[in-house]
Amino acid sequence: MKKIFVNGTFDIIHMGHLALLEFAKNLGDELTVAIDSDRRVKELKGESRPINTQYERGALLAALKDVDRVFVFDTDEDLITLISECDIMVKGSDYKGKPIVGEDVCPKIVFFDRIDGYSTTKTIQDIINRG
């Protein structure tokens, strides 16, 4: 069984996320998605984030047909432990040439070309601008 791994915030699910998850699932048999804890999202993206709690984000992801397992992680060490159990890790193409947490414990990394125009930050800004 080929185990595929994806991680991220997945704060507001959009078409770019769906395309990434479908791409990842097609690489193997089981897709695990790891999401940043609420504490970690605040640390990385600021006090106004996340929009959705880790419970809500996890439940939404778990309901998607391409996702087999969802985990919440709070530290790089937690993330590395999860990555060490996979065969392939999928990262967005914006990570090419940059350090990737867990790259030394995963046998293969595949990059997904991000779809222009889709980002949670852009979605949040669009909502603010409508007000």
Side-chain angles (χ1 to χ4, degrees), residues 40 48 54 91 103 124:
R40 189 171 166 103
S48 65
Q54 62 194 39
K91 296 298 286 182
E103 64 187 330
I124 292 168

Side-chain angles (χ1 to χ4, degrees), residues 56-103:
E56 293 164 329
R57 292 180 283 130
L60 285 167
L61 286 163
L64 298 175
K65 68 177 178 67
D66 291 321
V67 177
D68 296 298
R69 302 184 317 157
V70 177
F71 291 96
V72 176
F73 68 95
D74 193 54
T75 65
D76 283 357
E77 292 76 22
D78 294 343
L79 181 58
I80 290 167
T81 298
L82 292 168
I83 292 169
S84 70
E85 299 173 7
C86 76
D87 299 303
I88 300 172
M89 178 169 40
V90 178
K91 296 298 286 182
S93 56
D94 52 324
Y95 280 89
K96 282 184 182 174
K98 296 178 181 174
I100 297 171
V101 174
E103 64 187 330

Side-chain angles (χ1 to χ4, degrees), residues 22-39:
E22 180 180 29
F23 172 83
K25 177 66 178 205
N26 286 329
L27 294 174
D29 304 302
E30 182 180 83
L31 176 59
T32 297
V33 179
I35 58 172
D36 297 276
S37 68
D38 291 346
R39 183 206 62 79

